[in-house]
Amino acid sequence: MIELRATLAGRITLAVLSTLILLFLALPIIVIVVTSFGKDAFGSFPPEAWTLGWYEQLFADGSKWPAALSLSVLVASLTTVFSLVLGITAATALVRSDLPLRSAVYGLVLAPLVIPQVVIALGLFLLFEPAAMLGSPIAIAFGHTVLASPIAVMILMATLKGIDERLEDAAASMGASRLTVWRRITFPLAAPGMIAAAIFSFITSFDEFFISQFLSSVDTVTLPVQVFNVLQYNVDPSVTAISAILIAVAVVALALVAAVRRLGGPGKQAGLLPTESAVSLPAGSETR
């Protein structure tokens, strides 16, 4: 095989192209953040004058943004709890046991990621509407869990596969119960992955629109739905401010994930996302 050497011109070209691509991808985000500080009521870019008025307007008396923001935080928190419970259960079954038809189960778990969200939203609407649960934060959280739990499962599967099962077997051979093994061995080693799964589940729910649109009511409107409702009838510059807040939440979440990976150490966790299908690995021995 012929080995191609990187030349100086090639490295410079690659660096320039990579920088341009990154700037192109980040340009919409930069425009939104800069426009949110502009004084122009039409949201022009670049702004001719600067102000914090649109951020103050978000929390003014009579504004609907605080209620939408608090509902999104509540729903995202509930979704995080539900996703972690399902994620830990499913990941343990797929990695630590001889589960029959494991390929089919793994595909079923990941199915919500490939099915169009509007189809899932319609199905959830038909499920909750006869039960008179439309507009309930619990119903919206259950709907968001359908999308967030597969992400949590993938992260937790990667975490469990990175834990040496011999540590659990050694603890069990010394007389530790399954609960003690989980509390003293598995849980501390899996904590970085669980934190990452919780963060990604929260962000998935916080930004979800289709399911929230189908399951919301007049009195319970999440933040993405409120943004859509405002932009549907007029152009409100306060939308740029709330969009900047959403961007800040996503950036902080990614920073937390990076911090968790660094604190976890290279030897404790190979990665937060699986690099190969779980069904291709041999089943782990069940802790006795």
Side-chain angles (χ1 to χ4, degrees):
M1 181 180 294
I2 300 177
E3 182 178 355
L4 299 178
R5 293 186 176 181
T7 62
L8 178 59
R11 290 196 296 268
I12 294 176
T13 302
L14 179 61
V16 171
L17 291 177
S18 301
T19 303
L20 292 176
I21 292 174
L22 291 176
L23 287 176
F24 175 77
L25 295 176
L27 187 59
I29 299 175
I30 296 174
V31 170
I32 288 294
V33 174
V34 173
T35 305
S36 67
F37 295 99
K39 198 171 184 179
D40 191 351
F42 296 98
S44 61
F45 181 85
E48 298 180 356
W50 304 90
T51 182
L52 294 175
W54 307 125
Y55 289 90
E56 297 174 355
Q57 184 175 335
L58 293 178
F59 303 98
D61 294 338
S63 175
K64 296 182 179 180
W65 295 111
L69 178 60
S70 61
L71 179 61
S72 290
V73 172
L74 173 62
V75 170
S77 301
L78 293 174
T79 301
T80 301
V81 175
F82 299 156
S83 298
L84 282 180
V85 173
L86 291 177
I88 293 173
T89 304
T92 303
L94 289 169
V95 176
R96 289 288 192 265
S97 65
D98 297 324
L99 188 67
L101 301 176
R102 188 158 48 151
S103 299
V105 174
Y106 186 66
L108 181 64
V109 170
L110 299 185
L113 297 180
V114 297
I115 297 176
Q117 294 184 12
V118 65
V119 176
I120 297 176
L122 178 59
L124 290 170
F125 173 82
L126 297 177
L127 175 66
F128 288 120
E129 195 274 335
M133 294 183 64
L134 295 181
S136 170
I138 298 294
I140 300 175
F142 281 151
H144 290 182
T145 303
V146 176
L147 296 181
S149 56
I151 300 176
V153 169
M154 288 192 297
I155 296 175
L156 292 171
M157 286 179 63
T159 301
L160 292 178
K161 285 186 289 186
I163 298 175
D164 193 346
E165 295 184 43
R166 291 175 296 181
L167 299 175
E168 299 173 346
D169 293 338
S173 66
M174 299 297 292
S177 63
R178 291 189 177 184
L179 180 60
T180 302
V181 171
W182 168 259
R183 181 171 58 86
R184 301 293 297 271
I185 305 297
T186 308
F187 179 80
L189 294 177
M194 294 175 63
I195 295 174
I199 293 173
F200 278 106
S201 298
F202 186 92
I203 292 299
T204 300
S205 173
F206 196 75
D207 293 338
E208 172 57 32
F209 168 74
F210 287 104
I211 293 178
S212 300
Q213 176 75 348
F214 274 79
L215 301 183
S216 296
S217 64
V218 177
D219 298 326
T220 55
V221 177
T222 61
L223 197 58
V225 175
Q226 179 65 21
V227 171
F228 174 79
N229 293 338
V230 171
L231 293 178
Q232 189 176 11
Y233 300 105
N234 57 2
V235 178
D236 189 351
S238 60
V239 173
T240 59
I242 201 67
S243 299
I245 294 177
L246 291 175
I247 293 171
V249 171
V251 171
V252 171
L254 293 177
L256 287 176
V257 172
V260 168
R261 293 188 63 181
R262 178 165 299 188
L263 292 176
K268 295 181 181 179
Q269 200 171 0
L272 296 178
L273 293 177
T275 56
E276 55 182 312
S277 175
V279 298
S280 64
L281 297 178
S285 59
E286 186 175 3
T287 305
R288 292 176 294 275

